[in-house]
Amino acid sequence: MALININGIKLNIAVKGTGSPVILIHGVGGEYGHLSSLIDRLSRQFKTIAFDCRGHGQSDKPANYTLGDHVKDVIGIMDYFELPVASLLGVSMGSYIAQGVGIAAGERIDKLILTVPKSNGHTSSVHRLMAEHAAALQGLNLHDIFSYLLPYFTYNAEAMRAHMEIFDTRLSPEEFAVANKALAGFDFREELYKVAAKTLVISGKYDGLNSPEEGRECARLIPRADFVEMPYSGHAPMYEEPEAYMKAVETFLLKEPLP
C-alpha cells in the first residue's frame, strides 16, 4: 500500500495481482481492509486496486467533501495507473460512488458490480438507521452503536458478531459525521440510463440499510443490469454467504459481456 496524491489529497492505495483491473470501493466509515476477503480472492485472477476513500482509513481527511469528490477520486486513480478501462466493485457507499463513475465516465467502465446499493437517499443509510433508534443509542460509542443495530441489517446477527470489524469505524465521531454528510441528498435515478457497462446488482434479503427493493430499482434503471438477491444475507453478503457471493462475482467478471 502507498499514499498517492490524487486530486490534491493523499489516498491510501493497495495493488495486488495481475490481469484485468478491478477497483474495489468500501462503505461509509470503513477502509479497504474491510474488503480483504474479496481482494485476496479476486487478485488470483485480476489486478485489484483497493483504496481508503478520502476521509477514511489512512487517506487524508478533509474537513468537507462530497460524493462527487469520491467519484472524481476513482477516475483520478484510473488516470494515475493509466487504465483506459477498468471494472468497479462497490459496496454500500462504494456502490453509490461506482454508480457516479458509471454515469460520469461510462466509456471507461468494463463491468460494474453494485453490492447492497441504492440509487438515491436523503441521508446515508447508516445515519437514517441511527436516527430511527436515536433514543436507544444515546450515549453509546460507535462500536456499541453498530453492535446494537446489527440485528436490523444482517440475517444472523450473532454469527456476524465474529466480523464486527467490518462494521466498526476508526473514524472519530466528527470524521464519521463528515463522511455521512457527503452522501446526503444524492439521486442518480434520472442518470442511470447513461451507465453503459454490463452491471451486476447484489442485495441481501434481510438488509435493513439498503433494501432489496432499492437494489432492484438500480437494476431496473441501468440498461444492462442483472439482479441477484442473496437469501441468507443482510448488508454484508460477502461475509454472510461468502461462497455464493464470490461465485456470482467471479462468474460475472469472467463472462464475456453481451453486445
Side-chain angles (χ1 to χ4, degrees):
M1 62 184 179
L3 288 172
I4 297 173
N5 196 307
I6 304 289
N7 295 328
I9 68 167
K10 292 182 174 64
L11 296 181
N12 186 36
I13 303 175
V15 180
K16 186 174 183 179
T18 59
S20 300
V22 179
I23 299 175
L24 298 99
I25 316 170
H26 63 77
V28 67
E31 51 197 71
Y32 82 79
H34 290 176
L35 304 180
S36 59
S37 61
L38 279 71
I39 295 166
D40 291 344
R41 181 82 168 253
L42 290 176
S43 62
R44 300 173 191 172
Q45 302 179 80
F46 303 96
K47 178 180 183 179
T48 61
I49 301 171
F51 67 105
D52 295 338
C53 294
R54 65 169 60 209
H56 294 72
Q58 297 182 48
S59 293
D60 284 349
K61 298 177 176 63
N64 289 286
Y65 51 90
T66 67
L67 181 56
D69 291 326
H70 287 311
V71 170
K72 292 174 185 176
D73 288 343
V74 174
I75 297 171
I77 288 170
M78 293 179 68
D79 292 343
Y80 179 87
F81 288 102
E82 300 181 340
L83 303 176
V85 177
S87 294
L88 300 183
L89 188 159
V91 179
S92 194
M93 177 187 78
S95 75
Y96 318 156
I97 298 169
Q99 289 173 69
V101 178
I103 291 166
E107 74 285 354
R108 299 185 64 179
I109 306 306
D110 181 20
K111 292 185 177 181
L112 195 60
I113 300 173
L114 307 177
T115 302
V116 295
K118 63 180 181 180
S119 63
N120 66 96
H122 294 298
T123 184
S124 83
S125 299
V126 170
H127 191 266
R128 186 259 307 158
L129 192 61
M130 289 170 63
E132 290 174 3
H133 297 271
L137 301 178
Q138 190 171 3
L140 298 183
N141 61 36
L142 286 173
H143 173 87
D144 290 340
I145 285 173
F146 279 102
S147 181
Y148 177 90
L149 294 175
L150 206 57
Y152 295 96
F153 62 88
T154 62
Y155 169 69
N156 185 333
E158 290 310 308
M160 281 306 298
R161 291 192 191 283
H163 303 290
M164 269 300 294
E165 73 281 355
I166 69 167
F167 301 118
D168 277 342
T169 179
R170 289 193 282 183
L171 302 184
S172 70
E174 294 76 18
E175 291 167 342
F176 189 61
V178 171
N180 279 278
K181 182 181 177 183
L183 308 180
F186 82 95
D187 192 341
F188 291 135
R189 286 175 292 183
E190 297 298 322
E191 296 186 283
L192 284 176
Y193 75 91
K194 298 177 183 177
V195 176
K198 187 76 175 72
T199 301
L200 177 63
V201 180
I202 301 176
S203 293
K205 182 177 181 179
Y206 296 90
D207 189 351
L209 288 170
N210 292 339
S211 70
E213 288 72 23
E214 292 172 299
R216 287 190 184 92
E217 180 177 49
C218 290
R220 187 173 65 252
L221 293 172
I222 295 171
R224 303 168 69 214
D226 294 324
F227 176 78
V228 173
E229 180 178 298
M230 307 291 288
Y232 306 108
S233 291
H235 202 63
M238 69 289 297
Y239 284 90
E240 297 179 89
E241 295 181 79
E243 285 306 315
Y245 176 82
M246 286 308 310
K247 182 178 180 180
V249 168
E250 289 174 328
T251 299
F252 175 72
L253 288 174
L254 291 168
K255 184 166 59 177
E256 288 298 318
L258 296 173

